[in-house]
Amino acid sequence: MSFPKTYYIETFGCQMNEYDSQLVETILGADGMIPASDKESSDCLLLNTCSVREHAEQRVFSLLSQHKALKNNNPAMKIVLLGCMASKHQDELLHRFPHLDLVVGPDGYRNLPALMKAEKNIRTTWLGNNPLEEYNDIIPAHTKISAYIAIARGCDNFCSYCVVPYVRGGERSRPADSIIEEMKQLASQGIREITLLGQNVNSYRYNDCDFAGLLRRANEVDDIIRIRFITSHPKDLSEDLLNAMAECEKAAPHLHLPFQAGSDRILRLMNRKYTRSEYLELVDKVRRFIPGISLTTDIIAGFPTETEDNFQQTLEIIRRVRFDDAFTYRYSPRPGTAAAEMPDDVPEEVKIDRLERMISAVRKIARQNLQDLISRKFTVLIEHKSKKDPDWWMGRTEHNRIAVIPKEKYKPGELVEMRVETIAGFTLKGAIEIEAKPIFIY
Ligand code: SAH
Ligand code: SF4
Ligand code: F3S
């Protein structure tokens, strides 16, 4: 009988997976397990995985092969695969990797302690028997200034390229009361900034409470001074949400609004449910409601049948909107999705070339945007020591830009006002405005 006492988690993929790893740590901790200092010495190694692109899966496959040596050195070690690849590949993983002990999907984490402590060394797949699992009663412990809270799990949008609805199941929103309770508990642990997570937070709804309503309630939680959220699907961004963002002083003036592609034909094939002009009108509207708002986005290059002209329309949106940052991807066909049935006909070298052009367009504009900030004032929530210079604090501005400021008498968790002096790479460097009230809730 082997009773694992220590664990080590490696997390891949999106913020939802990071949050889920914290849920898993909380579940294992409640059962008496403690984190190991490194993976070699752990009794149990957990990999929380992502399926969104083939590359993400390949990384985990090659790590799993490497982990065979760890198990040879320590045969009692359990190796557990969690997350989206568990849902996607299921039992196949146990056949392909004989040293893998357990495969547990995103809805099955409550069963981890029981599965890990099973009397016999069973090898099994547990995808969770509760598609409505929301982990409402499990509140991860935090030691930082900023934390995630999942407000909805799964997705119903079925963008044609995307595997998430298949591996995460349908969208379900958590009760607003349980989200607000989690926020209060985190505030009492010293958390000052919350990022609300969902594949599409804009479609959050629990009974009468929609996302705008949730944001208004979240704004009332004492000791939380900043609220962020990701991701916003353009098709569901309501005027009421823009009103709520403008009204709520804690709502950060930043929106992550993926546009994915600039051509109407490609957007239709992607099943995104908006046109390029609707997206651009939405951006104008957002900027009218929240002047100076920071916009970031996700973009895919090389979707099936994308021509150079179509791609030029993507570049044009980048130039028109002038995003502060973008996550840029090469299209990767995911078996089982609608787009995987289309011809993956953009040659790899063309995809790479388009990706590079996209990245340089985004970077050029992001740099110019930063230059425009010199000598302007922003509020910075101090997070921790700057890695480069321990005499400086690192924090983020309300627009989610990284900033460093001299330490002076301030502490992590405090909000200060800075004036930008220089830009180092993509980091703002500045001085604290001493004549301003140094610590305040804006
Ligand atoms: N729910 C979020 C994020 C989903 S995954 C949203 O809708 O924005 C994050 C990003 O990965 C997507 O926005 C998309 O740009 C990218 N992506 C998803 N599937 C992909 C695929 N098959 N190939 C390339 N990029 C993909
Ligand atoms: Fe995927 Fe689209 Fe859902 Fe985002 S909204 S998770 S891209 S299906
Ligand atoms: Fe996230 Fe990847 Fe799963 S992006 S939801 S971890 S497929």
Side-chain angles (χ1 to χ4, degrees):
M1 207 168 5
S2 72
F3 273 29
K5 285 266 179 292
T6 62
Y7 66 87
Y8 190 91
I9 306 190
E10 291 183 296
T11 305
F12 306 86
C14 65
Q15 293 89 349
M16 193 61 84
N17 259 15
E18 281 180 44
Y19 179 79
D20 280 0
S21 288
Q22 291 162 0
L23 282 177
V24 168
E25 292 201 29
T26 311
I27 291 168
L28 299 181
D31 208 68
M33 288 184 71
I34 52 170
S37 53
D38 53 58
K39 55 181 158 183
E40 287 76 15
S41 65
S42 64
D43 299 334
C44 181
L45 178 56
L46 303 109
L47 284 86
N48 194 2
T49 63
C50 172
S51 282
V52 80
R53 282 168 292 277
E54 197 187 342
H55 178 69
E57 294 202 337
Q58 291 306 343
R59 264 180 74 200
V60 169
F61 286 141
S62 81
L63 259 182
L64 269 177
S65 302
Q66 290 170 29
H67 289 163
K68 203 168 164 186
L70 293 180
K71 187 125 175 183
N72 285 342
N73 290 338
N74 175 8
M77 176 189 275
K78 284 197 189 283
I79 302 189
V80 183
L81 187 137
L82 310 174
C84 299
M85 284 174 70
S87 315
K88 185 146 179 284
H89 298 284
Q90 307 183 10
D91 289 351
E92 183 201 317
L93 291 164
L94 293 177
H95 299 301
R96 181 161 166 194
F97 299 98
H99 58 292
L100 188 59
D101 295 281
L102 295 169
V103 174
V104 181
D107 296 329
Y109 298 153
R110 281 179 204 272
N111 304 292
L112 274 170
L115 290 165
M116 282 161 49
K117 292 182 174 182
E119 293 220 358
K120 290 203 183 79
N121 270 334
I122 47 164
R123 297 183 70 228
T124 188
T125 298
W126 188 282
L127 298 174
N129 52 5
N130 179 8
L132 298 178
E133 177 64 277
E134 289 170 342
Y135 301 106
N136 287 325
D137 53 324
I138 301 175
I139 299 183
H142 293 274
T143 52
K144 295 194 178 139
I145 298 304
S146 177
Y148 295 130
I149 298 183
I151 64 165
R153 301 178 72 85
C155 183
D156 285 337
N157 288 312
F158 290 95
C159 302
S160 65
Y161 49 80
C162 185
V163 78
V164 171
Y166 303 92
V167 293
R168 287 278 176 166
E171 182 184 280
R172 61 266 194 197
S173 295
R174 276 177 69 179
D177 286 350
S178 114
I179 296 165
I180 298 299
E181 182 52 34
E182 186 160 341
M183 273 183 83
K184 287 181 181 164
Q185 290 210 24
L186 295 186
S188 73
Q189 293 172 25
I191 295 291
R192 295 291 168 262
E193 177 182 83
I194 292 292
T195 303
L196 304 173
L197 293 181
Q199 297 301 339
N200 175 13
V201 290
N202 295 355
S203 59
Y204 172 89
R205 174 169 285 278
Y206 190 82
N207 293 339
D208 290 341
C209 184
D210 64 4
F211 187 57
L214 183 69
L215 195 59
R216 289 186 174 107
R217 281 190 65 183
N219 197 54
E220 300 302 314
V221 177
D222 290 342
D223 295 330
I224 295 295
I225 53 185
R226 238 184 217 169
I227 304 163
R228 304 186 182 282
F229 51 86
I230 37 177
T231 296
S232 284
H233 195 308
K235 76 178 167 63
D236 297 313
L237 185 63
S238 69
E239 199 163 302
D240 193 31
L241 176 57
L242 294 175
N243 275 323
M245 285 179 76
E247 266 163 40
C248 295
E249 71 283 4
K250 297 179 184 178
H254 167 231
L255 203 54
H256 186 66
L257 198 62
F259 79 89
Q260 311 294 1
S263 121
D264 283 340
R265 190 180 64 81
I266 299 293
L267 284 170
R268 223 173 13 254
L269 287 177
M270 286 180 161
N271 192 30
R272 289 291 289 180
K273 303 197 168 80
Y274 52 83
T275 62
R276 93 186 246 103
S277 59
E278 281 165 352
Y279 184 87
L280 290 169
E281 278 160 26
L282 185 62
V283 164
D284 288 345
K285 184 168 171 186
V286 167
R287 287 183 163 147
R288 272 201 309 278
F289 275 75
I290 306 142
I293 191 169
S294 168
L295 293 173
T296 54
T297 198
D298 290 355
I299 324 168
I300 299 176
F303 188 82
T305 75
E306 184 187 71
T307 63
E308 177 60 26
D309 279 356
N310 299 148
F311 177 66
Q312 285 299 333
Q313 293 188 292
T314 294
L315 290 179
E316 204 187 294
I317 295 212
I318 295 174
R319 292 191 204 107
R320 283 266 286 272
V321 179
R322 300 186 62 79
F323 297 100
D324 284 320
D325 200 1
F327 294 110
T328 49
Y329 306 100
R330 243 187 306 162
Y331 171 69
S332 159
R334 309 311 293 135
T337 61
E341 303 299 312
M342 303 173 196
D344 181 19
D345 56 356
V346 179
E348 219 42 42
E349 61 274 18
V350 176
K351 282 185 192 166
I352 292 171
D353 176 60
R354 287 182 190 165
L355 183 71
E356 282 170 359
R357 284 191 280 158
M358 217 155 77
I359 292 172
S360 66
V362 169
R363 287 216 178 125
K364 187 172 158 206
I365 291 165
R367 285 213 169 87
Q368 290 167 352
N369 289 351
L370 285 176
Q371 287 300 326
D372 291 346
L373 306 180
I374 290 180
S375 79
R376 289 181 50 198
K377 281 199 295 186
F378 298 97
T379 54
V380 177
L381 178 60
I382 301 174
E383 291 184 24
H384 50 70
K385 267 189 239 168
S386 152
K387 289 200 181 88
K388 283 211 181 117
D389 187 345
D391 290 333
W392 290 63
W393 289 125
M394 174 269 167
R396 276 165 205 276
T397 68
E398 60 271 49
H399 298 98
N400 208 25
R401 296 186 180 103
I402 295 176
V404 292
I405 43 173
K407 266 189 171 169
E408 298 183 12
K409 60 187 177 190
Y410 306 106
K411 291 196 297 293
E414 289 178 344
L415 196 66
V416 296
E417 196 164 286
M418 85 177 289
R419 191 180 288 281
V420 181
E421 291 178 337
T422 53
I423 312 288
F426 286 93
T427 301
L428 309 179
K429 227 173 158 181
I432 294 173
E433 281 280 295
I434 26 182
E435 77 269 26
K437 197 173 154 216
I439 300 155
F440 61 98
I441 292 175
Y442 62 101

